[in-house]
């Protein structure tokens, strides 16, 4: 299926994005994400989902193509454009990626720039950290001074999300948000993603292999296969598709010849 128009105004645009390492990973990705939309990018391991996500804020530079965030070209606008883009975006890394030697307070405050911390002062930074923890349903009084090793896997994931939202971004990027979590905590995180989209009005891009969990919280789903967008549509369109690979994901039975990593 070819790309269908995004709902609302474009917020993130991937235009003919190519990237290769030892071999091609992205091979001409075209995708438009609407303002306020929640879209999940799915695909088996090695299809470049995380690579695509990281191009959004310049963590990976594509070999060809363009990424545009809220009208700003990520790679053609220079350092000022990159800083503006990164102010708009919060990134939730796989496995939370917390600093083991830092407290929860210190980890969440890492989501603020040095300029913001200097401008606001300690009292305002603390207020924003506490509010972010409340958004992810954590009791700040109980967790602020704890190290990540004292938290459960689900709590660490939520602290990672709190760090991503503390700067009040307009876009949230989720890189395999339920990896390593049991089904119960995975469900909690998926509900939290939907809750934040509603409460904060953010644009959300989720890369995941968890079809079952992500369909109920997505406005649209894009399937990345062999470096290109093979399908994009609503969850209902995804479930009803007769595309062989889409059916394989729905039925959790991806054919061996489709599993070759690119």
């Amino acid at each position: 299926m070819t790309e269908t128009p995004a709902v609302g105004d474009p917020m993130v645009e991937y235009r003919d994005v190519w990237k290769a390492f030892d071999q091609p990973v992205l091979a001409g990705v075209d995708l438009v994400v609407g303002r306020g939309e929640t879209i999940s990018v799915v695909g088996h391991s090695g299809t470049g989902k995380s690579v695509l996500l990281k191009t959004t804020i310049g963590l990976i530079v594509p070999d060809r193509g363009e990424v545009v965030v809220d009208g700003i070209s990520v790679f053609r606008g220079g350092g000022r454009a990159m800083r503006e883009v990164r102010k708009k975006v919060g990134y939730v890394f796989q496995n939370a990626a917390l600093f083991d030697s830092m407290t929860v307070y210190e980890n969440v405050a890492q989501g603020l720039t040095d300029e913001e911390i200097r401008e606001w002062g300690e009292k305002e930074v603390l207020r924003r950290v506490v509010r972010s923890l409340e958004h992810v349903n954590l009791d700040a009084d109980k967790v602020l001074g704890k190290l990540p090793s004292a938290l459960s896997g689900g709590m660490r994931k939520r602290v990672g999300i709190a760090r991503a939202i503390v700067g009040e971004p307009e876009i949230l990027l989720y890189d395999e948000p339920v990896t390593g979590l049991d089904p119960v905590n995975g469900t909690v995180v998926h509900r939290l993603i939907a809750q934040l989209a509603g409460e904060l009005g953010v644009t959300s891009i989720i890369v995941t292999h968890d079809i079952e969990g992500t369909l109920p919280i997505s406005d649209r789903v894009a399937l990345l296969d062999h470096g290109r967008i093979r399908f994009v549509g609503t969850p209902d369109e995804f479930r009803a598709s007769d595309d062989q690979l889409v059916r394989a994901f729905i039925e959790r039975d991806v054919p061996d010849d489709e599993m070759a990593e690119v």
Side-chain angles (χ1 to χ4, degrees):
M1 177 182 291
T2 57
E3 183 192 348
T4 56
V7 177
D9 298 329
M11 189 60 162
V12 181
E13 301 173 69
Y14 303 96
R15 302 175 180 173
D16 192 31
V17 176
W18 292 72
K19 185 64 183 179
F21 296 102
D22 293 334
Q23 52 189 333
V25 177
L26 302 177
V29 171
D30 287 295
L31 182 65
V32 179
V33 182
R35 189 179 303 274
E37 180 180 23
T38 296
I39 187 167
S40 290
V41 180
V42 301
H44 58 70
S45 298
T47 53
K49 302 186 301 296
S50 293
V51 172
L52 180 66
L53 200 68
K54 289 174 181 176
T55 66
T56 317
I57 53 172
L59 292 179
I60 289 178
V61 180
D63 300 326
R64 197 171 92 202
E66 186 176 16
V67 180
V68 178
V69 174
D70 198 16
I72 303 170
S73 175
V74 176
F75 300 103
R76 298 181 183 177
R80 173 179 284 186
M82 184 72 75
R83 289 191 293 274
E84 284 299 310
V85 166
R86 289 183 174 177
K87 285 180 182 179
K88 294 176 179 287
V89 180
Y91 199 107
V92 181
F93 293 89
Q94 285 191 45
N95 304 315
L98 303 180
F99 295 98
D100 294 337
S101 61
M102 292 184 177
T103 64
V104 167
Y105 168 80
E106 292 167 330
N107 267 289
V108 176
Q110 287 289 311
L112 300 171
T113 65
D114 291 341
E115 180 182 355
E116 288 169 335
I117 291 172
R118 286 194 302 269
E119 178 183 343
W120 293 333
E122 186 176 343
K123 186 175 180 179
E124 176 64 12
V125 170
L126 175 60
R127 187 187 73 81
R128 288 174 181 256
V129 168
V130 169
R131 184 174 61 183
S132 296
L133 291 169
E134 290 173 347
H135 272 304
V136 299
N137 306 318
L138 287 173
D139 187 333
D141 290 337
K142 293 181 179 179
V143 302
L144 270 178
K146 290 187 175 181
L147 294 174
S149 59
L151 306 177
S152 68
M155 292 174 73
R156 288 195 295 272
K157 187 72 75 171
R158 283 186 277 165
V159 171
I161 296 173
R163 178 179 59 195
I165 67 174
V166 69
E168 300 182 354
E170 299 174 54
I171 302 164
L172 282 173
L173 308 179
Y174 297 91
D175 191 353
E176 298 285 4
V178 300
T179 293
L181 297 182
D182 59 67
V184 172
N185 276 312
T187 298
V188 169
V189 169
H190 279 134
R191 287 176 179 169
L192 179 59
I193 292 171
Q195 173 189 321
L196 292 174
E199 290 179 354
L200 305 179
V202 294
T203 302
S204 303
I205 304 176
I206 310 163
V207 300
T208 184
H209 64 277
D210 187 336
I211 300 294
E212 184 177 350
T214 199
L215 282 179
I217 65 170
S218 300
D219 296 310
R220 288 191 303 152
V221 182
L223 176 61
L224 187 61
D225 177 54
H226 288 82
R228 293 178 178 270
I229 298 296
R230 177 159 170 165
F231 170 97
V232 61
T234 67
D236 286 344
E237 290 168 341
F238 189 82
R239 293 187 184 96
S241 174
D242 58 5
D243 181 282
Q244 179 186 4
L245 188 56
V246 173
R247 297 309 318 157
F249 270 91
I250 291 289
E251 296 160 10
R252 293 172 171 261
D253 182 25
V254 181
D256 290 341
D257 61 350
E258 293 284 4
M259 287 298 293
E261 294 189 354
V262 297

